[in-house]
Amino acid sequence: MDDIELRKEMFAWYGAAMYAAQLFEVELVTLLLGLKRLRDPDTDLDEYDDLDALLSRKTLGALLKELEKHCVLELEFKDMLIGYRDQRNFLAHEFFYARANDMRSREGFERLTEELQEVEHQLRTADQITMKMSENVRKSSGINEESFQAYVQSQLK
């Protein structure tokens, strides 16, 4: 692989890691909406839209604090979530500055690609964990999964 392709691969993995971080954030919003339904099953649909809009503007750290208001998180699990938040924040705010020296060599780009692959994997794991939690909350609150998925698809159009 030539140097240009190596750089492209590293930047592609950066994009994949940020995409995984965003999926995690979106799933946290979905989980929080499900928890609202579980606590207050008679909530108006318009209220969910308003809450969705409000939560979607929050940072990942604020979403995790919101989750703590509604769930008791085991310390180990909380630490794991904080680690995911820190990874996301590092990617978004510090990665290129902190890793600038690595971008001076082929070996550095290879290291960065490997690092980003690992971060992407970890953030996908965060998304999968949160997705499973969301599914469990929806099931507990009586939300039909097929109806929920149909609603999600309708919102994507």
Side-chain angles (χ1 to χ4, degrees), residues 3 6 14 31-32 60 72 75 78 116 121-122 133 136 138 141:
D3 288 351
L6 185 61
Y14 176 84
L31 173 58
L32 289 165
L60 179 55
V72 175
L75 183 59
K78 180 180 175 182
L116 288 166
H121 174 74
Q122 290 175 5
M133 291 172 69
N136 289 337
R138 287 192 300 274
S141 62

Side-chain angles (χ1 to χ4, degrees), residues 138-157:
R138 287 192 300 274
K139 185 176 181 181
S140 296
S141 62
I143 297 172
N144 177 284
E145 192 63 26
E146 287 180 17
S147 298
F148 174 77
Q149 293 302 329
Y151 171 77
V152 169
Q153 290 304 313
S154 74
Q155 296 301 304
L156 297 175
K157 292 180 182 177

Side-chain angles (χ1 to χ4, degrees), residues 38 42 61 63 69 72 74 79 83 90 97 109 112 130 151 154:
L38 190 59
D42 296 326
L63 291 172
K69 291 178 185 177
V72 175
E74 294 290 329
D79 288 346
F90 177 76
Y97 182 75
F109 272 102
L112 292 176
T130 310
Y151 171 77
S154 74

